[in-house]
Amino acid sequence: MNQLVNPSIVLDNHPQGAATTSNFRIANQPIRQLKAGEFLIENIWLSMDPYTRPRLNENTAYVEPIKLGQVIQGETIGKVVESNSPKYQVGDSVFTFSGWQKYCIANDADFYDVSIAGHAAAANDLFECSRHSGSSRVFWFE
């Protein structure tokens, strides 16, 4: 059985004004065994995009709000650390939309694949771009 625990940042309460650390909490959940076709990603970088702030509100006009207790959503770059998938091997680097958590279980059916395997320098460039832009993936694909 997998002994890893997945720390994730979840919304604890809706901000009134500026968001602070008191609006979030860390939830630790055990990671279940992988099924056939699944793989486990360890997130290395996470996105802190401007669109996230309005999603912390109880009601928003243009995007669905993040619910209380839900992992804060956002894009990540991670590495495959365990795999039962013929498509993804341990060590592969991938983009994910797994949110603010250390690990994510994904499968071929629901995972959008943009592998960056073998492109460590490009991944570093992407990380640097994300520090200056609302969405770093624009820099990767443009």
Side-chain angles (χ1 to χ4, degrees):
M1 176 159 215
N2 195 328
Q3 300 299 313
L4 293 175
V5 173
N6 186 24
S8 56
I9 300 174
V10 300
L11 184 62
D12 192 47
N13 57 74
H14 298 288
Q16 304 299 316
T20 67
T21 56
S22 67
N23 300 122
F24 308 93
R25 66 180 166 81
I26 296 176
N28 291 301
Q29 299 293 325
I31 299 173
R32 65 171 173 77
Q33 288 295 110
L34 297 178
K35 298 175 184 172
E38 292 182 329
F39 50 100
L40 180 65
I41 300 165
E42 180 179 11
N43 291 318
I44 299 166
W45 293 315
L46 62 86
S47 171
M48 298 183 78
D49 296 323
Y51 87 95
T52 302
R53 175 56 190 92
R55 298 194 69 203
L56 302 177
N57 295 334
E58 193 167 2
N59 298 299
T60 66
Y62 74 101
V63 291
E64 183 178 341
I66 297 170
K67 295 175 178 57
L68 295 180
Q70 187 177 27
V71 173
I72 304 302
Q73 298 167 358
E75 293 179 333
T76 61
I77 297 174
K79 286 203 175 282
V80 175
V81 293
E82 189 177 330
S83 181
N84 285 342
S85 167
K87 188 173 180 182
Y88 295 94
Q89 306 304 310
V90 171
D92 285 351
S93 298
V94 293
F95 283 111
T96 70
F97 192 77
S98 62
W100 296 5
Q101 58 184 338
K102 182 70 173 173
Y103 297 99
C104 169
I105 293 177
N107 65 50
D108 297 347
D110 66 4
F111 182 77
Y112 63 90
D113 173 29
V114 185
S115 177
I116 56 173
H119 300 285
N124 271 339
D125 290 345
L126 184 67
F127 176 68
E128 286 300 315
C129 290
S130 71
R131 294 173 49 200
H132 307 288
S133 166
S135 178
S136 56
R137 213 165 17 110
V138 171
F139 287 97
W140 182 264
F141 294 112
E142 294 294 317

